[in-house]
Amino acid sequence: MARKSLVSVVENGLLERIVDGVYAIGASLPSEAELATDFDVSRLTVREAMRSLSTQGVIEVVSGVGSSVRPPERWASLDALLRYRSVHGDGDVAVQLVAVRRMFEAEAAALAAERITDADLEALAACIDAMRAASDAGDVDAFVAGDLRFHDLIMRRSDNVFLATLFAPLTRVLADRRAETSRVPQIQRNALVEHERVLDALRARDAVAARAAMEGHMQQTLDDLRAYVLNDR
């Protein structure tokens, strides 16, 4: 495996341990030598991985002293922060994620309405069909896969590379959140209705209607989150 790939493996492994609480906030990390042995890589590979995490603000490296985990509010990496907050966040974090989705996805839907092709519409309809079949079969994973693909297609069809790139770090967190919420049958039923409304607006090539439909979908998502998930907690 190329060293660059090994660096990524170590970097992701360290971040995962931080997110999981193996290395607590403010705690010192093991030495480079210990981590090299633990990950079965060279010390140089560990050093590069730690340098990357330091650049992201996740850890602080002090020459001659060692490394420690910085508070999440000081992290500069959106991906790292999302991963941490998805595990350690409360209901407010879940609500904030929906608010972020609303901002990104409503505009993506409006842009997509002006660029959508017949092939795209068929693909979106196929996603809804897959979600419906998965719901009938009680297959939550398949339901989530269809849901994520539906939104990914719209984001891509916005043809805005910045919008799609900024939204990308949310993908991992959204998959985890969808798996949690989509276990509720009523949430599945509501989601199917809202996806159909978004698709209808896109079929009409109506940017205003597409934006409104996606905002309505996000509001329903928020309402369902509060009614069926957060209240249960």
Side-chain angles (χ1 to χ4, degrees), residues 43-186:
R43 291 182 61 174
L44 179 58
T45 297
V46 170
R47 189 173 302 128
E48 290 185 15
M50 294 180 73
R51 184 181 296 116
S52 177
L53 288 175
S54 176
T55 300
Q56 297 172 51
V58 176
I59 65 174
E60 182 175 13
V61 179
V62 180
S63 180
V65 176
S67 305
S68 59
V69 183
R70 304 181 77 201
E73 57 268 22
R74 298 178 65 184
W75 294 4
S77 167
L78 177 60
D79 181 49
L81 184 59
L82 283 170
R83 288 173 64 176
Y84 184 86
R85 289 303 185 192
S86 69
V87 174
H88 299 279
D90 53 19
D92 286 342
V93 171
V95 170
Q96 289 170 15
L97 282 172
V98 175
V100 172
R101 285 188 61 197
R102 186 194 298 262
M103 288 186 285
F104 278 95
E105 298 204 50
E107 188 58 31
L111 291 171
E114 299 172 346
R115 298 164 174 79
I116 205 83
T117 67
D118 289 343
D120 294 328
L121 293 171
E122 290 178 5
L124 291 170
C127 290
I128 296 177
D129 288 342
M131 291 170 65
R132 185 173 291 106
S135 181
D136 291 341
D139 188 339
V140 175
D141 289 341
F143 185 91
V144 171
D147 188 357
L148 290 173
R149 177 164 172 73
F150 181 91
H151 289 273
D152 181 64
L153 285 168
I154 293 174
M155 187 64 65
R156 291 179 182 280
R157 183 43 63 196
S158 72
D159 287 343
N160 186 309
V161 64
F162 299 105
L163 188 61
T165 301
L166 288 169
F167 189 74
L170 287 168
T171 302
R172 183 202 305 263
V173 177
L174 290 178
D176 293 339
R177 292 287 179 181
R178 295 284 220 295
E180 179 182 22
T181 58
S182 294
R183 289 188 176 90
V184 181
Q186 187 58 52

